[in-house]
């Protein structure tokens, strides 16, 4: 993948489109980012043939089918996704089915642009697969596009990114190089996010956060996922909970669950956070950012916990600690109520 990183890099989009021989580009966005899609269309000029602004979180298959109809009707030869994980996920879903080249222009810290992973929702279930077909050919990071990201969304988007790096540290396929990147990513975001919440137009902090998110995405895409991501896929796909807030709430509790099974990872997470305990450090960071701390607060019903436990235990991802239904139930109950996780040695 080619990466263009900096401030004002949108100006390079025509060059990148020409390099990929894109002449009929469809620009993807969510409804909320329609204006940013319009700016992209202006940069691309005659190379853009229109936009599709119905990208939705968790990449529902029915939305992908609507976008594919536009792709066929307009004889599209390239996709440009501007936005976060929802939009980039839609671009991946189109590429999976068509093999069209993609340019990703992230505006959040989701990191999806760096991973060969796609998660799609169908019939109330979110399923993921890993294939290099979905990797964008080019990613253009432009710090200026993140300046308008509200502090609350910046916080949860950044915590979502941290989750990628956290699980890379105890993934089954972990390796020393990715672990170095993951630890650096956590440190960059943990330092930058409080500054962004305090001063959203701080370009240096935004630069540092986008750099951290880039590293987080590479970490997730290079190794694997574990319990935290499985739980979030279940909660998002089956109960339609918002993606980044769900990651924010679940992460400290998933880390507490895995603490004794991955002691080296816990030390590295705590060090990157400047905390004594990994799980508590993550919880305290979310609290400091004013981010949601409970599943109840983002729309989950307590009655759904049992179904979530069953689904997460049915097809678990590799995890450093065995998946035990009773312990999983406690994890979700704690996340539901939003209580601070117990320390590693409690």
């Amino acid at each position: 993948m080619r990466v263009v990183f900096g401030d004002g890099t949108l100006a390079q989009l025509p060059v990148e489109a020409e390099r990929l021989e894109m002449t009929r580009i469809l620009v993807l966005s969510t409804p909320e980012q329609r204006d940013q899609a319009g700016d992209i269309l202006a940069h691309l000029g005659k190379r853009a043939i229109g936009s599709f602004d119905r990208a939705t979180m968790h990449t529902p298959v029915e939305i992908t089918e609507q976008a594919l109809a536009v792709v066929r009707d307009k004889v599209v030869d390239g996709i440009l996704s501007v936005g976060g994980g929802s939009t980039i996920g839609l671009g991946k879903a189109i590429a999976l089915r068509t093999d069209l080249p993609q340019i990703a222009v992230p505006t959040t810290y989701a990191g999806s642009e760096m991973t060969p992973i796609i998660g799609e929702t169908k019939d109330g279930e979110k399923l993921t697969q890993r294939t290099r077909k979905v990797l964008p050919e080019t990613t253009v990071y432009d710090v200026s596009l993140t300046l308008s990201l509200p502090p609350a969304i910046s916080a949860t988007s950044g915590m979502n990114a941290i989750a990628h790096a956290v699980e890379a540290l105890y993934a089954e396929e972990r390796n020393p190089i990715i672990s170095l990147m993951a630890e650096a990513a956590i440190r960059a975001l943990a330092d930058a996010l409080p500054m962004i919440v305090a001063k959203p137009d701080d370009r240096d902090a935004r630069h540092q956060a986008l750099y951290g998110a880039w590293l987080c995405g590479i970490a997730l895409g290079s190794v694997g996922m574990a319990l935290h991501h499985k739980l979030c896929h279940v909660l998002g796909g089956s109960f339609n909970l918002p993606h980044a807030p769900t990651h924010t709430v679940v992460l400290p509790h998933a880390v507490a669950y895995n603490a004794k099974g991955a002691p080296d990872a816990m030390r590295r997470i705590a060090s990157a956070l400047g905390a004594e305990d990994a799980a508590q450090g993550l919880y305290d960071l979310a609290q400091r950012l004013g981010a949601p701390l409970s599943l109840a607060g983002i729309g989950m019903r307590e009655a759904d916990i049992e179904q979530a436990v069953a689904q997460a235990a049915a097809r678990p991802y590799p995890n450093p600690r065995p998946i035990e239904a009773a312990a999983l139930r406690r994890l979700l109950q704690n996340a539901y109520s939003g209580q601070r996780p117990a320390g590693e040695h409690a």
Side-chain angles (χ1 to χ4, degrees):
M1 183 196 297
R2 177 172 167 79
V3 175
V4 181
F5 186 96
D7 201 338
T9 49
L10 278 188
Q12 298 184 44
L13 282 179
V15 174
E16 295 304 318
E18 182 178 4
R19 191 180 65 82
L20 293 169
E21 299 181 348
M22 294 178 168
T23 61
R24 297 183 61 80
I25 302 171
L26 181 67
V27 177
L28 307 177
S29 76
T30 62
E32 295 78 14
Q33 292 180 294
R34 190 177 293 122
D35 289 345
Q36 285 183 317
D39 292 341
I40 297 292
L41 288 166
H43 275 89
L44 292 172
K46 293 181 179 179
R47 290 183 180 273
I49 52 83
S51 62
F52 179 90
D53 60 9
R54 297 197 290 277
T56 306
M57 66 178 182
H58 308 308
T59 319
V61 170
E62 58 268 25
I63 297 295
T64 299
E65 290 171 348
Q66 293 174 25
L68 284 168
V70 177
V71 167
R72 291 189 291 266
D73 180 61
K74 293 185 177 291
V75 197
V76 170
D77 66 6
I79 297 293
L80 190 150
S81 305
V82 55
S86 298
T87 307
I88 292 168
L90 176 59
K92 287 179 167 184
I94 294 171
L96 179 67
R97 292 159 173 81
T98 65
D99 225 11
L100 286 173
Q102 302 175 78
I103 297 175
V105 182
T107 63
T108 72
Y109 307 123
S112 177
E113 67 281 352
M114 284 293 133
T115 78
I117 301 165
I118 178 170
E120 299 183 273
T121 304
K122 185 177 182 180
D123 300 327
E125 185 174 8
K126 188 170 185 177
L127 299 174
T128 62
Q129 59 177 301
R130 182 182 288 262
T131 168
R132 295 187 66 82
K133 282 183 69 175
V134 304
L135 268 175
E137 278 69 21
T138 298
T139 292
V140 176
Y141 289 107
D142 191 331
V143 171
S144 66
L145 292 181
T146 65
L147 294 175
S148 61
L149 194 65
I153 299 177
S154 298
T156 56
S157 181
M159 291 297 296
N160 176 26
I162 288 173
H164 304 333
V166 163
E167 292 229 302
L169 285 168
Y170 54 68
E172 191 174 54
E173 306 93 338
R174 65 189 178 276
N175 65 67
I177 300 302
I178 294 301
S179 293
L180 281 173
M181 295 172 71
E183 188 172 348
I186 296 168
R187 183 172 286 109
L189 280 158
D191 289 345
L193 290 174
M195 291 189 286
I196 289 170
V197 168
K199 189 181 178 185
D201 62 350
D202 185 331
R203 295 185 99 92
D204 289 340
R206 292 284 187 181
H207 188 283
Q208 185 176 351
L210 200 57
Y211 160 76
W214 177 11
L215 290 181
C216 288
I218 292 174
L220 176 68
S222 300
V223 291
M225 299 177 286
L227 173 63
H228 168 79
H229 280 82
K230 178 63 180 184
L231 286 171
C232 291
H233 292 161
V234 167
L235 294 172
S238 297
F239 307 108
N240 202 38
L241 295 186
H243 182 78
T246 301
H247 278 271
T248 302
V249 171
V250 171
L251 182 60
H253 303 282
V255 166
Y257 183 101
N258 281 328
K260 292 182 179 178
D264 181 64
M266 298 302 137
R267 284 192 293 272
R268 299 182 78 153
I269 295 164
S271 174
L273 293 169
E276 293 186 5
D277 179 87
Q280 292 184 346
L282 290 164
Y283 183 92
D284 292 344
L285 176 60
Q287 188 173 51
R288 182 181 175 191
L289 298 175
L293 298 172
S294 73
L295 291 175
I298 59 172
M300 187 174 181
R301 300 183 311 156
E302 189 169 13
D304 290 331
I305 289 177
E306 205 58 44
Q307 182 185 343
V309 169
Q311 286 184 231
R315 290 193 295 273
Y317 297 166
N319 195 62
R321 174 182 169 183
I323 303 302
E324 304 159 356
L328 207 55
R329 192 175 296 108
R330 285 194 298 273
L331 184 165
L332 284 173
Q333 189 66 54
N334 291 341
Y336 177 82
S337 63
Q339 68 180 59
R340 191 168 187 258
E344 184 178 346
H345 305 294

